[in-house]
Amino acid sequence: MRIANLAGRATIVTDAGLIDLAASSDGAFSSSVDKCVTQLGTIRAWLLNAAPRPIDLTTPSELLGDARLGPVVANPQQIFAVGVNYRRHAEEMGLVVPKEPMVFTKFVSSLCGPNDDVPIPSATTDFEAELVVVIGTKTRDVSVEDALGVVAGYCVGQDFSERSLQMLGSPPQFSLGKSFRHFAPVGPWLTTADEVEDPNDLVIRCSVSGTQYQDSSTSDMVFSVAEVVSYLSGVVELRPGDLIFTGSPHGVGQGQRPPVFLQPGDSIVTSIERLGRIENHAV
Ligand code: ZN
């Protein structure tokens, strides 16, 4: 099941068209995507039983570039991100492969829709294609074996990064440099976890203004999705709607020789197998 946040309304995206969840269920379900995240089992059962017909015949591929798409969760309580979580990315940045997940936050005010414009604050703004995990169940201390069971689903994300601010200070504190306006686009929709057999076996790509810089697989992660979720839950309470950016593969701008940073006018296309594509324009 795919659930988009279309003009602020939870919308099921089927191959045959779009189903407005609240309208088609006569109000049985909320129009809020945040509420849907906790009700996916019930929504799936209703979808199978009621078999509502899409009134809007927009196909998933037609919906991809729609400017009305908002973030798959509108108001998450927490956004986590993992740094240096791909082996080849550690290599290109000249960093050692971490022994424990390196966690920072993207502050929630950086969240935006999948196709929103991203203002470029500096000459050292970088792109990072990332698989984003959406938590569905409140949890603490979940084991690696059970960790994927608390995941509602997945989507495509960009961890836009202002490298100068990110690395300023000693030791550096990543969070502010990762949290400028619209530095956390996610989408195009939530793909529920049951549709993703193995989140660590997905092709992940990013191109900037037509040049493909990132082309990898989530199998290159240092800490798997299950390990990251379990690790975080050993410290903090994970809550429905929380987002986890799981790190970026090699090919980021700073890893190029010479480095390639974003400039106003660039278009950044980020895609993940089975999850879709988001496109942001640098302004
Ligand atoms: Zn990142």
Side-chain angles (χ1 to χ4, degrees):
M1 196 165 59
R2 293 169 291 208
I3 303 181
N5 175 3
L6 186 62
R9 297 183 65 85
T11 302
I12 297 178
V13 180
T14 76
D15 291 340
L18 308 177
I19 297 165
D20 183 288
L21 188 57
S24 297
S25 68
D26 289 326
F29 295 107
S30 166
S31 61
S32 149
V33 281
D34 297 28
K35 293 216 171 99
C36 291
V37 164
T38 62
Q39 299 181 305
L40 295 177
T42 327
I43 294 170
R44 189 176 298 109
W46 166 78
L47 198 59
L48 284 171
N49 288 326
R53 284 240 202 99
I55 296 162
D56 182 333
L57 301 183
T58 304
T59 64
S61 57
E62 287 166 348
L63 183 63
L64 275 177
D66 198 308
R68 294 173 301 159
L69 287 171
V72 303
V73 175
N75 291 293
Q77 293 192 38
Q78 310 180 88
I79 304 179
F80 304 96
V82 187
V84 204
N85 198 31
Y86 280 74
R87 290 178 189 86
R88 288 190 63 191
H89 176 55
E91 225 169 82
E92 75 179 340
M93 301 293 270
L95 298 166
V96 290
V97 172
K99 295 205 165 51
E100 292 209 350
M102 200 277 269
V103 177
F104 58 93
T105 186
K106 289 174 82 69
F107 291 105
V108 294
S109 60
S110 62
L111 186 66
C112 69
N115 302 312
D116 285 353
D117 289 345
V118 54
I120 301 300
S122 75
T124 52
T125 301
D126 208 342
F127 52 89
E128 298 192 350
E130 305 211 3
L131 170 67
V132 175
V133 173
V134 182
I135 296 294
T137 309
K138 185 160 119 172
T139 190
R140 277 190 188 269
D141 296 318
V142 69
S143 67
V144 173
E145 291 69 34
D146 294 335
L148 295 186
V150 307
V151 173
Y154 303 93
C155 64
V156 181
Q158 252 299 335
D159 176 17
F160 287 119
S161 304
E162 202 295 286
R163 297 297 187 200
S164 303
L165 184 56
Q166 180 189 343
M167 301 314 291
L168 197 71
S170 174
Q173 304 287 319
F174 285 12
S175 300
L176 277 181
K178 303 274 194 171
S179 295
F180 282 91
R181 183 164 193 252
H182 289 188
F183 265 32
V186 294
W189 41 68
L190 174 77
T191 299
T192 53
D194 58 299
E195 305 228 355
V196 182
E197 204 176 315
D198 182 359
N200 283 107
D201 186 23
L202 301 171
V203 174
I204 177 167
R205 293 193 173 112
C206 179
S207 69
V208 178
S209 296
T211 303
Q212 189 169 290
Y213 290 105
Q214 295 187 282
D215 183 7
S216 183
S217 164
T218 56
S219 63
D220 190 43
M221 279 188 199
V222 178
F223 299 97
S224 69
V225 169
E227 287 169 330
V228 167
V229 170
S230 171
Y231 177 82
L232 285 170
S233 79
V235 180
V236 296
E237 180 177 87
L238 296 177
R239 296 169 175 177
D242 281 356
L243 302 178
I244 305 171
F245 284 69
T246 56
S248 192
H250 68 285
V252 302
Q254 194 169 2
Q256 309 297 322
R257 300 289 174 265
V260 173
F261 292 117
L262 296 174
Q263 295 181 2
D266 278 336
S267 82
I268 304 99
V269 177
T270 313
S271 65
I272 299 180
E273 184 182 1
R274 307 182 70 91
L275 306 185
R277 183 181 81 225
I278 66 175
E279 179 165 357
N280 306 100
H281 292 267
V283 295

